[in-house]
Amino acid sequence: MSGIAGIIHFDGQPVTPGQIETMTAAMPYRGPDGIKHWRRGHVAVGQCMLRTTPESLEETQPLTNEDESLILVMDGRVDNWQELRRKLLAKSAVLRTRADAELVLRAYETWGAACLPHVEGDFALFIWDARHQLAFCARDRVGNKPFIYHFDGKTLSFASEVHPLLALPWVPEQMNPTMIAEYLGAAWNSLSETLWTGLLRLTPSHTMVVKHGQAPRLTRYWSPDLHLIPPCKSDQEYIEYYRSEFTDVVRRMSRSHHPLAIEVSGGLDSSAIFAVADSLMRQGKLPATQMDGYTLDFRGDENADELDYARTVATFVGRPVHEVIPAHMPLEWYSDTARVYRDLPDYPHGSVGLSIAEAARTRGSRVLMGGTGGDEWTGGCRLYYGEAIARRQWAELLRIVQRDVQAEGKLAVLSMLIRQGVFPLLPAGVRHALRKIVAMARNKPNRPHAAWLSPVMRRHLTARSRDTRNAVSNDWPRLGQQRQWTCLVDGYGALARELNERRYSRMGLEWRQPFWDRAIVQTAFSTPEHVRLRSENKWLHRRALSGLLPESVLRRSTKAEFSVVFARHWGDLSRLTERHVFVKRHSWLDVKEFTGLMKSAFDVDRQEWGTGIVWTLFGLDAIASSNSSAPTY
């Protein structure tokens, strides 16, 4: 916790003195409690330490076993540390400390490459196994901790971020045109590639073994169990089951020897974490010294202002929530960030949270917890019509239809029954043909996907989309599980989590996300759609929190909208794009189409989704401008 780096020359060449130190020195913010290294001949590793748990006070990394045949560096946390400790002691493992890193090292010593099913939590880790001359790498189940690597057949190098790797002399600085196309085309498919050719992400829920003379061997060690059925027969049992799972996740993630900081926007999801943590604190079950809530003060902007909701939560819970002025960074800050870290900068609606991070750090916190992922994993969809039809559960379908008619009306239910009951069960070719017929009937123009991209970029995107479609299975026990799988492997979501993780690491904080925990994800895959969605979305989530949150928050259906944060930059960004970016990036764009996209994006009243694409172009241009070998496709 919270940064790692390493170099392994499989051809036996010694690691040049100073190289591993240069890599960790590029991430000093990840090591406020010290940066240490281990180098033996052709292997060198480094770790940047941020101590966030009582057990981490006993932790030293890089960590070896007694004869130095195993060496580990890890950015992470073991949330089932007590259970894992008991398992290891039952296997006669010798535990010298209570540190999480030692638990992982002994787990590998005990079970080898099959150790990961025994470890719960967020982690990115590397183990050099000198006995077998192999590198064992792993990343947590949903990708909350980053692991970037480069392998050229002779040398494996890795780090928590991109820029330490690009500083190595054997790593090429060539931007990846396919990923540029994905980012600018808003088609975020790849979980393994980065913006740099040859630099890869270790895919979440995978291990990777690298040996001399062999290609890296990647193995998926976890997937949601698509056939798991919760032990529930009634609505009340589902409510109790979900409440128990969610409470346990919040409890396990709250382990900290400093005050636990929690974002409390006033929305349902972040407020839920705050309320459950408070309930645990009152019961003496919260593994943190104390807890503090924080919310952003957007007074003056009615679309973003959530103070009334946050204050209502604070009053109901009986615990203050600190009100913080949002951070508003200048445009130059974002471009400088892109150039330094050689990756996309924050988006403005994310960077406003820097002020919460600063306030939490000032009050002594090392951990910040937020509600991202709540929409993905507690929401439902009307595909429960199709699920009932596919299983020929006619009585269940009738019950659902009657219930929905009371809430939505007959015509609305008839439309949903066709669109999300019958249509999803049709063969793929029939669905495609019907979509074309509907588009023609509506006189929709036949424009290519991502028409604002240049022809070269569109070809990259088309090839990637085709490859991705071919890789997705259609064998789902329930229709809704396909939507959930899409959330789990969504490239944009993965990027957003990495941006969040980097943002808060730079502030000396560990970012934790209870809704992106394996248990919550599995619960979503296991729970029928009609339990999560009734007359209101997140029905199960809301019912499980009854009594812990005020009714105004439990029933809230609105969400804050942060176009004002983007709008602060529109004037400068528009001039910059038109005068400079278009001139340099004509090989990426169809300038005429992109100009139209910009006009829509900058119209605050319309609040077009294209704002994110324009911002992405700004970030990519800043990265390419700092790189002498930027592509000129």
Side-chain angles (χ1 to χ4, degrees):
M1 297 181 275
S2 68
I4 58 175
I7 302 168
I8 303 91
H9 293 307
F10 284 93
D11 60 1
Q13 175 186 342
V15 175
T16 301
Q19 280 185 336
I20 189 64
E21 290 81 1
T22 298
M23 293 180 74
T24 54
M27 309 179 289
Y29 42 85
R30 289 183 176 270
D33 294 319
I35 298 176
K36 295 186 177 181
H37 309 91
W38 184 94
R39 181 160 57 91
R40 298 289 188 277
H42 65 292
V43 178
V45 293
Q47 197 262 355
C48 309
M49 178 65 75
L50 171 68
R51 302 187 189 278
T52 62
T53 68
E55 293 72 30
S56 68
L57 299 176
E58 302 179 25
E59 187 164 296
T60 299
Q61 290 194 50
L63 179 67
T64 69
N65 62 352
E66 286 76 7
D67 62 2
E68 293 195 345
S69 61
L70 298 176
I71 174 74
L72 170 142
V73 286
M74 179 176 82
D75 169 22
R77 184 189 70 256
V78 178
D79 287 338
N80 66 329
W81 69 277
Q82 291 172 313
E83 298 94 326
L84 181 55
R85 184 178 179 86
R86 286 195 292 269
K87 283 184 180 181
L88 289 169
L89 290 174
K91 291 284 188 178
S92 301
V94 176
L95 298 176
R96 299 164 295 188
T97 68
R98 297 185 305 152
D100 290 12
E102 181 162 18
L103 292 175
V104 174
L105 184 71
R106 298 306 189 187
Y108 180 82
E109 205 170 38
T110 302
W111 293 292
C115 64
L116 270 300
H118 300 277
V119 181
E120 297 277 355
D122 300 335
F123 52 81
L125 63 91
F126 166 88
I127 296 175
W128 173 246
D129 187 339
R131 302 166 302 182
H132 302 99
Q133 289 292 292
L134 64 83
F136 176 79
C137 314
R139 196 174 176 200
D140 65 70
R141 290 161 177 78
V142 297
N144 287 326
K145 294 290 186 178
F147 189 101
I148 315 296
Y149 71 96
H150 177 269
F151 183 65
D152 60 8
K154 296 188 304 181
T155 298
L156 172 68
S157 41
F158 65 89
S160 296
E161 298 186 34
V162 164
H163 64 288
L165 290 163
L166 289 174
L168 296 172
W170 57 86
V171 176
E173 293 189 56
Q174 181 180 0
M175 292 187 74
N176 182 343
T178 305
M179 289 303 287
I180 292 174
E182 280 200 10
Y183 282 24
L184 286 178
W188 314 79
N189 293 311
S190 179
L191 290 175
S192 60
E193 293 184 54
T194 72
L195 282 171
W196 300 93
T197 300
L199 286 190
L200 299 173
R201 291 179 171 88
L202 181 54
T203 308
S205 70
H206 278 70
T207 63
M208 180 175 70
V209 174
V210 186
K211 291 183 177 181
H212 181 59
Q214 299 181 15
R217 187 176 78 250
L218 276 76
T219 304
R220 176 178 284 276
Y221 66 87
W222 176 82
S223 289
D225 186 341
L226 303 182
H227 300 279
L228 182 65
I229 300 175
C232 308
K233 296 182 179 179
S234 66
D235 286 349
Q236 188 57 39
E237 288 181 351
Y238 271 112
I239 291 168
E240 292 171 0
Y241 178 80
Y242 174 78
R243 183 191 297 127
S244 175
E245 290 289 294
F246 183 61
T247 300
D248 189 55
V249 168
V250 172
R251 178 189 63 81
R252 294 191 306 162
M253 276 202 180
S254 297
R255 187 164 51 114
S256 175
H257 66 301
H258 288 272
L260 175 67
I262 303 176
E263 290 184 347
V264 188
S265 69
L268 176 62
D269 301 327
S270 61
S271 299
I273 296 169
F274 184 66
V276 168
D278 174 76
S279 176
L280 288 166
M281 176 71 81
R282 294 177 187 278
Q283 298 173 56
K285 297 179 180 179
L286 192 77
T289 57
Q290 65 183 73
M291 57 177 283
D292 293 309
Y294 297 87
T295 194
L296 292 173
D297 180 354
F298 272 102
R299 273 178 289 191
D301 176 24
E302 61 180 13
N303 293 318
D305 185 5
E306 299 182 284
L307 276 182
D308 286 346
Y309 287 106
R311 288 170 177 172
T312 301
V313 171
T315 300
F316 187 89
V317 171
R319 186 179 295 275
V321 173
H322 305 288
E323 299 172 6
V324 181
I325 300 298
H328 294 295
M329 313 306 292
L331 198 61
E332 294 78 12
W333 180 87
Y334 294 99
S335 57
D336 289 345
T337 298
R339 293 185 185 105
V340 170
Y341 299 104
R342 318 302 292 279
D343 209 345
L344 282 185
D346 263 330
Y347 290 79
H349 61 287
S351 65
V352 293
L354 288 169
S355 55
I356 284 182
E358 179 61 34
R361 184 176 64 177
T362 300
R363 293 179 64 87
S365 293
R366 292 287 185 95
V367 173
L368 178 61
M369 198 175 283
T372 57
D375 290 340
E376 289 88 338
W377 302 117
T378 67
C381 67
R382 304 285 183 181
L383 285 172
Y384 50 63
Y385 294 121
E387 292 180 352
I389 294 172
R391 296 183 178 186
R392 294 178 171 80
Q393 296 173 334
W394 308 119
E396 175 71 8
L397 179 63
L398 178 62
R399 185 182 67 82
I400 292 172
V401 167
Q402 290 174 336
R403 183 194 69 199
D404 286 358
V405 165
Q406 292 181 352
E408 307 287 347
K410 292 181 180 179
L411 290 179
V413 171
L414 178 61
S415 173
M416 291 186 292
L417 190 59
I418 294 172
R419 289 186 292 110
Q420 301 195 59
V422 177
F423 183 79
L425 299 177
L426 297 175
V430 175
R431 295 200 304 271
H432 179 69
L434 287 175
R435 288 192 184 101
K436 290 183 67 174
I437 293 172
V438 171
M440 292 172 60
R442 293 177 177 175
N443 291 319
K444 291 183 67 175
N446 186 22
R447 298 169 68 239
H449 174 63
W452 56 88
L453 294 182
S454 69
V456 172
M457 285 290 136
R458 285 205 302 273
R459 284 196 292 272
H460 282 301
L461 199 58
T462 301
R464 172 57 57 79
S465 299
R466 187 185 307 117
D467 291 344
T468 303
R469 282 199 306 271
N470 291 340
V472 175
S473 168
N474 290 316
D475 184 21
W476 306 100
R478 291 192 298 103
L479 286 175
Q481 289 176 334
Q482 183 170 5
R483 181 184 67 87
Q484 292 159 349
W485 182 261
T486 300
C487 289
L488 186 62
V489 300
D490 176 54
Y492 177 76
L495 173 68
R497 291 196 296 281
E498 286 191 11
L499 290 177
N500 284 336
E501 193 277 342
R502 188 184 70 197
R503 177 193 314 133
Y504 295 120
S505 289
R506 290 173 60 192
M507 302 296 291
L509 297 171
E510 182 181 14
W511 173 242
R512 299 182 188 173
Q513 308 166 87
F515 289 106
W516 278 101
D517 180 86
R518 188 273 316 164
I520 298 300
V521 173
Q522 179 62 68
T523 298
F525 273 88
S526 302
T527 307
E529 296 297 321
H530 69 84
V531 176
R532 287 199 304 279
L533 174 66
R534 297 282 173 91
S535 57
E536 57 185 353
N537 198 16
K538 303 185 179 183
W539 182 88
L540 178 63
H541 185 48
R542 296 175 196 270
R543 293 300 182 277
L545 293 165
S546 180
L548 293 176
L549 285 173
E551 285 297 312
S552 61
V553 174
L554 282 175
R555 299 291 171 259
R556 184 181 177 188
S557 60
T558 60
K559 295 184 74 69
E561 196 279 314
F562 296 106
S563 62
V564 65
V565 181
F566 282 92
R568 290 172 180 266
H569 301 290
W570 276 165
D572 291 340
L573 190 58
S574 178
R575 287 188 291 272
L576 176 67
T577 302
E578 292 175 351
R579 295 176 186 176
H580 302 289
V581 176
F582 279 167
V583 175
K584 294 182 290 183
R585 308 303 164 207
H586 57 84
S587 60
W588 294 355
L589 304 169
D590 181 308
V591 174
K592 180 180 178 181
E593 290 279 357
F594 199 88
T595 300
L597 179 70
M598 283 179 57
K599 289 178 179 178
S600 297
F602 293 158
D603 184 346
V604 177
D605 291 332
R606 293 174 64 182
Q607 297 173 0
E608 291 284 344
W609 59 273
T611 54
I613 295 175
V614 177
W615 191 266
T616 299
L617 173 64
F618 160 69
L620 291 173
D621 174 69
I623 298 167
S625 297
S626 65
N627 178 45
S628 59
S629 59
T632 55
Y633 316 108

